[in-house]
Amino acid sequence: MTFKAPDSLAEQIAHHLAERIIRGDLKPGERIQEQKVTLALNVSRGSVREALLILERRHLIAILPRRGAHVTELTAHKVQSLCTLMSELYILLGNAVALGWQTQADMAPFVQIQQRLVSNFERQDIRAFVEECFNVMRAAYPFANNPYLQETVENLQPAMNRAYYLALDQRKASMSEYLALFEQLLAAVLARDLPQIRQVLSAYCQRSSSLVIAALADA
């Protein structure tokens, strides 16, 4: 596989490896060898090293002295900690959209994402469904206009996606459940109901945490 797009090569490599980790192709604890990745993707070793640093920043791998890069383990404590933090970040984004939207056109990207989520649900396409869930956050970034918040969510979201994918793949969670929560969130944002936004997103993250932990127990 060869990457030739003008975007950051390291980012492309990181995305490729992240997808394999999220899907479970690369297992917790599994070593990622620079040389193997270099040969498999036909890229430079320097670009692979940079990609691994990106993945470490996104909590998908750990780089240890004399042991190299290994896929991080998912534990109940890590899942609970991640979901608790992401809940507050999601609430900040949800509030920003609720307070910032002016016309129906402003909300169009979220309605389109909702339609794609329904389509992914009908096809039972877990990978695309999880990616669209993240696109909700990306659509909210312009309303928040907070580069620090955006960077934090971007770095943590791959770990969250990994957790979601596990729960959905093991059928501990259902796409229909997430669809219903998104519908409630959209209604709360349209109504500019900040307490309801907090309630929906807090419940969403608490439920996600429980489902992922149940999936971990059966993995």
Side-chain angles (χ1 to χ4, degrees), residues 59-73:
H59 306 278
L60 294 179
I61 69 168
I63 302 175
L64 304 174
R66 296 182 297 280
R67 291 183 57 194
H70 292 75
V71 178
T72 53
E73 301 279 350

Side-chain angles (χ1 to χ4, degrees), residues 75-86:
T75 66
H77 175 70
K78 286 183 178 179
V79 170
Q80 288 173 332
S81 299
L82 178 62
C83 288
T84 298
L85 176 57
M86 293 303 291

Side-chain angles (χ1 to χ4, degrees), residues 24-175:
D25 298 336
L26 293 171
K27 305 296 183 185
E30 185 172 342
R31 185 180 178 190
I32 301 177
Q33 298 183 31
E34 288 181 13
Q35 186 174 5
K36 285 187 176 181
V37 176
T38 297
L39 294 173
L41 303 183
N42 190 26
V43 293
S44 71
R45 198 156 185 170
S47 295
V48 173
R49 286 175 182 167
E50 187 179 346
L52 293 178
L53 290 173
I54 292 171
L55 291 175
E56 184 179 41
R57 190 165 67 245
R58 292 174 182 169
H59 306 278
L60 294 179
I61 69 168
I63 302 175
L64 304 174
R66 296 182 297 280
R67 291 183 57 194
H70 292 75
V71 178
T72 53
E73 301 279 350
L74 273 179
T75 66
H77 175 70
K78 286 183 178 179
V79 170
Q80 288 173 332
S81 299
L82 178 62
C83 288
T84 298
L85 176 57
M86 293 303 291
S87 174
E88 294 303 317
L89 298 177
Y90 290 162
I91 289 167
L92 286 173
L93 288 171
N95 288 348
V97 178
L99 296 173
W101 75 270
Q102 299 296 323
T103 67
Q104 290 298 319
D106 292 335
M107 297 301 296
F110 300 98
V111 174
Q112 292 165 4
I113 290 170
Q114 184 181 38
Q115 293 169 348
R116 292 197 296 270
L117 284 169
V118 171
S119 177
N120 294 332
F121 165 68
E122 291 172 347
R123 297 197 312 273
Q124 288 295 291
D125 187 336
I126 297 174
R127 186 200 62 78
F129 190 91
V130 171
E131 180 64 23
E132 287 298 344
C133 287
F134 185 28
N135 285 337
V136 176
M137 307 305 132
R138 287 176 171 149
Y141 290 156
F143 294 90
N145 191 27
N146 185 331
Y148 305 106
L149 175 59
Q150 179 173 334
E151 181 182 7
T152 302
V153 174
E154 286 284 338
N155 283 331
L156 292 175
Q157 192 65 35
M160 199 71 171
N161 284 2
R162 180 186 181 192
Y164 287 167
Y165 192 95
L166 174 66
L168 287 166
D169 191 49
Q170 293 203 10
R171 297 300 188 266
K172 296 298 179 183
S174 68
M175 294 187 214

